Amino acid sequence: MTATTGRGHRSASTAVLAIFGGALAAATWANGDHGFAIALVVFYAIASVIAWIWSGGSGDVAAIMRVGGDERQKHLDLQATAYAGLAATMFALIATVVQTARGADAYPYALVCGVGGLSYVVALAVVRRRS
């Protein structure tokens, strides 16, 4: 029995939360902060349950969470992803400038800018080739 609702699988966003939350908790445990690692496990377990329940709904967000939905919902997801990417890029750019002006290490933010720019170029090439 698969957990599908409409189009898509309810386990899509639940799996992302559980896997990456578990990886973060494991890294935190390995770093020696056992209390925080346990708190992360509890937090991501609750978030996974909420995602599972929410993705079973009938709204736009539920359809996007289960990686399904109609063309309008997919377009909403694409636009939201683009705006989130632009916001993260602007944050990294501004942080790079501010850290440089302070004389502090700007490398982490500059690295995010570089990875973002490179991944955009590669993604654009792939999408153009598919079209």
Side-chain angles (χ1 to χ4, degrees):
M1 177 175 179
T2 60
T4 59
T5 303
R7 290 189 344 213
H9 294 275
R10 289 179 71 179
S11 58
S13 49
T14 304
V16 169
L17 283 168
I19 290 169
F20 288 106
L24 180 60
T28 304
W29 185 277
N31 192 38
D33 195 350
H34 300 153
F36 188 52
I38 292 168
L40 284 170
V41 167
V42 171
F43 172 79
Y44 280 103
I46 292 169
S48 295
V49 169
I50 291 170
W52 173 265
I53 293 168
W54 197 349
S55 65
S58 61
D60 292 335
V61 176
I64 292 167
M65 287 177 67
R66 58 180 179 264
V67 193
D70 58 25
E71 289 302 315
R72 186 186 66 79
Q73 292 164 333
K74 289 178 183 178
H75 183 70
L76 287 173
D77 182 40
L78 185 64
Q79 281 186 309
T81 301
Y83 289 137
L86 287 170
T89 300
M90 289 307 300
F91 174 82
L93 284 169
I94 291 167
T96 300
V97 171
V98 169
Q99 288 295 91
T100 301
R102 288 181 174 169
D105 182 19
Y107 178 75
Y109 300 110
L111 179 64
V112 170
C113 291
V115 169
L118 181 63
S119 63
Y120 178 80
V121 168
V122 171
L124 184 60
V126 169
V127 170
R128 283 192 67 218
R129 187 167 282 216
R130 284 183 169 177
S131 297

